Amino acid sequence: MTQQFKVGESYATRSMCDHDCIFSFTIRARTAKTITTEVHGETVRRGISVWDDTEQFKPYGTYSMCA
């Protein structure tokens, strides 16, 4: 069973470049394929992908070492 994001829950991850930098996001809404969250004060929608039976999304977009 795939681990899924839940609305209202907060999630955090560390930066690949700086161990002291922690990115934190609260899931505002979701559909089967998208997440709605807040990035730099703006509400944004991001696509969901599944890796190793766990959902993931890229809040700042795709770039090398992205969160």
Side-chain angles (χ1 to χ4, degrees), residues 11-51:
Y11 299 90
T13 188
R14 290 191 185 272
S15 170
M16 297 281 287
C17 303
D18 181 0
H19 182 76
D20 295 326
C21 180
I22 299 174
F23 301 107
S24 178
F25 301 94
T26 301
I27 306 303
R28 306 279 184 225
R30 70 161 292 151
T31 67
K33 296 182 179 183
T34 64
I35 291 289
T36 303
T37 189
E38 193 172 307
V39 175
H40 300 301
E42 279 188 47
T43 300
V44 296
R45 284 188 344 187
R46 299 291 187 243
I48 298 172
S49 60
V50 177
W51 182 76

